[in-house]
Amino acid sequence: MKFIWRGLFLLSVVFLFFTCKEDDSILGENFLDTKLSIYYDTVTNYTTRSEPYDANDTILSGASLAVIGDYYDEVFGDTRAMTVFDLAPQSNAIDSAANRTADSLILQLKFRGTYYGYDTTNEQTFNLYAVEQPLNQIDGSVLSNVNLGDYYDPNNPIATTTYRPSTDSVSDFLKFDLPISMADNLMQNLDTLISSDSAFVANFKGFVITAERQGGTPGALVQYDFAAQETHMRLHFSDAEYDNQVFYFHPTSSDGKTSRFNFFEHDYTTGSINSHLVAHDPPQFIPGDSLAYIQAGRGINLKIDIDLSESEIFDEGVNNEDLVINQVRLNLQTIKKFKYLSNDTIEYAPPSGIVVMEYSNGETEPIVDYLIEPGLTAPEYYEENRDNSYDLVFSGLVHEKVVEGDSTLTLWLRPTQPSITANRAVFYGSGAVDSLKPKVFITYSKRTNN
């Protein structure tokens, strides 16, 4: 549907043009001739498609939060998260007398938050494993080339504990009592091992933590703060002069010697999303379906193919130099399971922010509307007061397409921070009814001889 607005107030026209620097040179001509019209198009020619996380993406170290847990989502199915990290000593020397004796070795992680809809009633079993290969080998690797089974023995946990997420974020910790043999070995070689961060990381290679929910409980995915001082491994020991000595090790280091990663496993066959799959390994979704999915935790991205050829901006005979793209936005509506429940976002809560990029020639590229610096885009944020929807603006990208005479484009959407959150959303797709499916709104100016 197309609507034409004519005779807009001069003030509105001035505002629209001063947002388009490249067209300043024609301002005077347009005002003098009063031959400027404002047009408004609604474009509905597009296809939505859910896409699994790209297995060829590069894995980079440095996660600020550890995500651990086992969670059942009735829409997205079973999701597991595990964290992998090593540690650096608090200092590279120790002020302590001889005849040291290890008393205990404890690892703890400071609680940060949980996945929405989490289970705070039932405990999960958390398993701790010793890493057997340097974790810096993962940094910069392609995701599909990383097999965590090469880094630890999943059949040989060194410590196990039960944990139930608490609402008390001040005092809640995930704690493991490590084997006393590990404490003794660390104590005997402490001066050598802590002589540098690199030496410690090379010899004490780190940990993997996994979790399993118990029975048929929904479980939870839990976040822990890597940067908190309370997140550490601590060695309790005595020496010839003092009892109750403590030496700390942290998963962050000032020289960047430590590594921190989160890995996720998704089983979409166990959720309602399965009915929208056409293949499972790897997951493939129905293009142009009535629903479209997006998920962090290295889950699902959203690909949208948009054809603007039906818009008047691409009408045959239109001179591109006579067009000014004022605004182009895509409206995406998130679904609700129960239409009249205000707290329904617990079930279908969308990510707080979505990164918008262009997908071209098999690669994602930043678009001018969200460009901060090469390779980075600013997220578009969700606001509940906008009727549970996103409005994604890509005016600059469409302007480039108009100049180039290209009427098609593909947007690639993913949640922000996909490796430290588990946010997900269900959108109405291009196969939904007209009142719910996404729409592209274009506002543009055109010089005319009418």
Side-chain angles (χ1 to χ4, degrees):
M1 176 182 291
K2 298 182 173 67
F3 303 94
I4 301 178
W5 299 342
R6 299 182 182 276
L8 291 183
F9 292 110
L10 183 61
L11 180 60
S12 299
V13 177
V14 171
F15 171 77
L16 289 171
F17 270 98
F18 273 94
T19 60
C20 305
K21 293 175 59 178
E22 62 272 26
D23 294 304
D24 285 350
S25 60
I26 62 172
L27 280 176
E29 179 183 347
N30 282 314
F31 287 137
L32 290 175
D33 294 344
T34 63
K35 295 176 181 179
L36 178 67
S37 297
I38 306 296
Y39 292 73
Y40 173 71
D41 284 2
T42 302
V43 178
T44 58
N45 190 9
Y46 54 84
T47 301
T48 56
R49 183 200 298 263
S50 297
E51 293 281 348
Y53 191 89
D54 190 352
N56 293 317
D57 277 5
T58 301
I59 299 298
L60 299 176
S61 176
S64 58
L65 298 174
V67 183
I68 316 168
D70 185 359
Y71 179 79
Y72 175 70
D73 184 313
E74 69 174 35
V75 177
F76 288 81
D78 289 312
T79 298
R80 286 190 175 185
M82 62 195 75
T83 196
V84 186
F85 61 97
D86 51 27
L87 303 130
Q90 68 179 47
S91 63
N92 298 125
I94 183 170
D95 183 14
S96 174
N99 299 322
R100 302 175 191 142
T101 301
D103 297 322
S104 64
L105 187 63
I106 298 171
L107 176 70
Q108 73 174 34
L109 283 74
K110 176 72 167 60
F111 173 85
R112 170 65 179 269
T114 55
Y115 188 19
Y116 47 81
Y118 60 87
D119 177 5
T120 59
T121 302
N122 299 287
E123 293 180 331
Q124 295 191 62
T125 299
F126 282 68
N127 295 311
L128 180 71
Y129 302 87
V131 170
E132 299 171 351
Q133 293 192 52
L135 292 180
N136 59 12
Q137 296 176 160
I138 297 178
D139 196 22
S141 299
V142 174
L143 177 61
S144 59
N145 292 338
V146 178
N147 178 15
L148 276 183
D150 296 336
Y151 289 84
Y152 75 104
D153 181 358
N155 298 313
N156 187 28
I158 61 174
T160 298
T161 188
T162 56
Y163 180 83
R164 177 174 60 86
S166 169
T167 56
D168 183 2
S169 60
V170 176
S171 59
D172 195 8
F173 301 98
L174 173 63
K175 292 184 179 181
F176 295 93
D177 292 319
L178 303 180
I180 191 62
S181 59
M182 182 178 289
D184 289 337
N185 184 64
L186 181 58
M187 190 81 269
Q188 293 170 12
N189 302 281
L190 188 61
D191 292 284
T192 300
L193 290 176
I194 68 171
S195 60
S196 69
D197 289 0
S198 298
F200 189 82
V201 168
N203 289 277
F204 199 98
K205 296 182 176 63
F207 299 105
V208 174
I209 304 178
T210 67
E212 296 179 7
R213 68 181 188 270
Q214 302 302 299
T217 62
L221 300 183
V222 191
Q223 294 176 330
Y224 301 92
D225 191 348
F226 270 135
Q229 288 294 313
E230 299 93 334
T231 295
H232 57 244
M233 181 177 72
R234 62 181 185 267
L235 175 63
H236 294 262
F237 66 98
S238 303
D239 60 25
E241 296 182 3
Y242 299 101
D243 294 329
N244 303 321
Q245 302 267 55
V246 184
F247 192 86
Y248 293 92
F249 306 84
H250 298 279
T252 57
S253 63
S254 58
D255 57 4
K257 298 298 183 182
T258 56
S259 301
R260 303 179 300 279
F261 307 93
N262 292 315
F263 288 88
F264 300 83
E265 296 177 352
H266 303 282
D267 184 359
Y268 298 122
T269 65
T270 60
S272 62
I273 191 175
N274 182 54
S275 62
H276 295 264
L277 286 168
V278 294
H280 297 103
D281 190 18
Q284 294 181 28
F285 293 87
I286 302 170
D289 204 353
S290 59
L291 297 178
Y293 299 88
I294 192 168
Q295 182 186 30
R298 297 195 177 97
I300 303 171
N301 300 313
L302 180 58
K303 180 180 177 184
I304 305 179
D305 297 309
I306 301 174
D307 185 353
L308 301 173
S309 59
E310 293 183 358
S311 168
E312 284 193 2
I313 60 177
F314 284 100
D315 275 356
E316 192 172 332
V318 173
N319 187 344
N320 290 351
E321 295 180 356
D322 290 336
L323 291 175
V324 177
I325 303 300
N326 305 121
Q327 187 188 72
V328 180
R329 63 183 176 89
L330 169 69
N331 179 261
L332 288 173
Q333 296 189 51
T334 62
I335 73 170
K336 279 194 163 189
K337 184 178 180 182
F338 300 108
K339 182 176 181 182
Y340 301 105
L341 292 183
S342 60
N343 64 346
D344 191 58
T345 51
I346 291 176
E347 184 66 36
Y348 292 116
S352 59
I354 289 181
V355 172
V356 188
M357 304 186 79
E358 182 183 12
Y359 188 76
S360 179
N361 298 320
E363 296 183 354
T364 54
E365 301 176 355
I367 64 177
V368 63
D369 301 270
Y370 298 97
L371 187 63
I372 301 176
E373 58 183 81
L376 295 178
T377 56
E380 181 71 21
Y381 290 101
Y382 169 81
E383 295 180 11
E384 287 193 64
N385 59 7
R386 292 193 296 185
D387 297 324
N388 296 304
S389 67
Y390 289 86
D391 282 310
L392 310 176
V393 177
F394 50 105
S395 315
L397 176 60
V398 171
H399 173 78
E400 292 176 350
K401 297 295 181 182
V402 170
V403 171
E404 297 168 358
D406 187 356
S407 62
T408 61
L409 59 96
T410 298
L411 296 181
W412 188 270
L413 281 62
R414 66 168 177 79
T416 57
Q417 302 175 321
S419 66
I420 62 173
T421 65
N423 292 326
R424 81 281 191 268
V426 183
F427 297 106
Y428 289 105
S430 53
V433 298
D434 287 347
S435 61
L436 296 173
K437 66 183 182 181
K439 293 180 178 61
V440 176
F441 301 95
I442 306 176
T443 306
Y444 60 99
S445 307
K446 184 168 64 173
R447 288 187 295 174
T448 176
N449 293 322
N450 294 339

